[in-house]
Amino acid sequence: MKDFILKILEDLEKGIITKEEAFSKISFIPFEDLGFAKVDHHRNLRRNFPEVIFGMGKRKEEILEIAKRILEKSERLLITRIDKETHEFLKNEIDGLNYNELGRIAWKMGKQEKTGKGKILIITAGTSDIPVGEEAYITAMWMGNDVEKIYDIGVAGIHRLFAEFEKIRKARVIIVIAGMEGALPSVVAGLVDTPVIAVPTSQGYGASFGGLSALLTMLNSCSGGIGVVNIDNGFGAALLASIINRL
């Protein structure tokens, strides 16, 4: 690793590569090998936020070890998909660790400047979709955006949507979360000229197939300007919205 960095600096000094090329090369190193995980410490340099821990499937001791290593080089921390018991374990070791039980997400802010140029609006079709909405809300906020949320304005009572139209119209990026048949993103995208990120959820009766029906509806939308992320992926939607909001 040392030789690799020295070679980059030598090439820069000799004019073989530009400052931008040197930055690009260095931005992909280093990582820390913990045996069970390889912690990417330079993600903050590449993406403007440190590595996020996906908690599902990990032992709480593993999550804690990864979190400690991240916090050695960053004041900020985000852990998705953990239950309350895991948070109780972690907060005894990590000062200032916040937790949103609905969204199953824990975070520590540290110093974070606003990087978003406008407001991200998060909409859910139903109350059952709120857990995904909360994951998206915390993630977008943690990534340096102004975020607003409007919950339970699905197509079963379309007048609720129109009552919030001024807020919807002023957003720079909109995340629309829906289960059942997943129709709401198509309606919203047909009313605005901003990017709409659609999130299908696993909420619905048997023929919704755990969110597959909503996913297919969103992928087949006749409204333009919709991007679709995976089922229940509030984190992924917020990350994409943050990238768009920085442009």
Side-chain angles (χ1 to χ4, degrees), residues 32-189:
E32 184 177 3
D33 193 344
L34 305 182
F36 62 90
K38 293 178 174 62
V39 183
D40 181 4
H41 289 303
H42 267 224
R43 190 167 305 186
N44 195 31
L45 189 60
R46 301 196 313 272
R47 304 300 300 274
N48 202 35
F49 59 87
E51 183 169 10
V52 175
I53 303 172
F54 180 67
M56 185 180 295
K58 292 183 177 69
R59 296 185 300 111
K60 57 183 182 291
E61 293 83 6
E62 292 173 336
I63 296 171
L64 176 61
E65 185 63 25
I66 297 169
K68 284 182 174 180
R69 299 304 178 96
I70 290 173
L71 289 171
E72 286 176 359
K73 294 179 172 62
S74 173
E75 297 178 338
R76 302 168 60 216
L77 179 69
L78 188 69
I79 310 169
T80 66
R81 301 300 171 95
I82 61 169
D83 56 27
K84 190 174 182 179
E85 180 183 347
T86 300
H87 172 251
E88 290 293 328
F89 171 81
L90 295 173
K91 76 175 185 178
N92 291 327
E93 302 288 338
I94 301 172
D95 292 336
L97 186 66
N98 303 288
Y99 183 62
N100 182 303
E101 188 172 358
L102 267 179
R104 296 182 295 163
I105 187 167
W107 74 99
K108 187 170 182 176
M109 284 300 296
K111 295 177 181 178
Q112 169 59 36
E113 297 179 1
K114 291 285 190 237
T115 56
K117 295 183 177 180
K119 183 168 288 184
I120 294 175
L121 179 63
I122 298 172
I123 298 172
T124 70
T127 303
S128 298
D129 304 314
I130 289 176
V132 179
E134 288 294 287
E135 180 180 77
Y137 176 80
I138 297 299
T139 300
M141 177 268 297
W142 182 80
M143 289 181 173
N145 301 280
D146 286 322
V147 193
E148 192 167 356
K149 49 190 176 182
I150 305 172
Y151 289 161
D152 194 28
I153 56 169
V155 297
I158 199 69
H159 56 292
R160 299 173 297 177
L161 174 67
F162 296 129
E164 302 285 357
F165 184 65
E166 280 305 304
K167 289 182 182 179
I168 294 170
R169 185 178 62 84
K170 292 177 181 178
R172 194 162 190 263
V173 189
I174 303 173
I175 298 172
V176 185
I177 302 165
M180 297 290 188
E181 85 291 356
L184 186 60
S186 295
V187 176
V188 173

Side-chain angles (χ1 to χ4, degrees), residues 218-234:
M218 294 171 184
L219 288 171
N220 285 289
S221 174
C222 63
S223 295
I226 296 178
V228 186
V229 298
N230 208 346
I231 297 167
D232 292 333
N233 192 6

